[in-house]
Amino acid sequence: MDHNQSIRCTVDECKFHCNKDDYCTLESIEVVKHEPKAKTVECTDCGSFQTK
Ligand code: SF4
């Protein structure tokens, strides 16, 4: 599966994850926060995630 060399990702539960290695196959993704104010990396997520 072709992947986007600019988007590294280890979330292999996502249907857009490259199965061969740790990259995303989408052309672009949206990164979101799930806290009113993001203070740490844990406050951010990939908003383009979809389950397999
Ligand atoms: S959509 Fe997001 S979570 Fe899914 S493979 Fe791409 S970067 Fe990872």
Side-chain angles (χ1 to χ4, degrees):
M1 194 191 302
D2 284 345
H3 65 233
N4 185 332
Q5 199 68 28
S6 300
I7 308 177
R8 291 171 55 209
C9 177
T10 60
V11 185
D12 54 10
E13 295 85 354
C14 178
K15 79 173 190 186
F16 302 118
H17 186 263
C18 182
N19 292 319
K20 287 188 305 208
D21 42 28
D22 284 340
Y23 285 91
C24 179
T25 58
L26 293 179
E27 211 165 278
S28 68
I29 59 165
E30 182 178 33
V31 178
V32 297
K33 57 183 177 178
H34 57 255
E35 307 287 342
K37 214 173 179 108
K39 291 187 181 141
T40 65
V41 68
E42 286 81 12
C43 301
T44 67
D45 284 307
C46 178
S48 303
F49 170 89
Q50 283 184 27
T51 47
K52 277 184 178 164

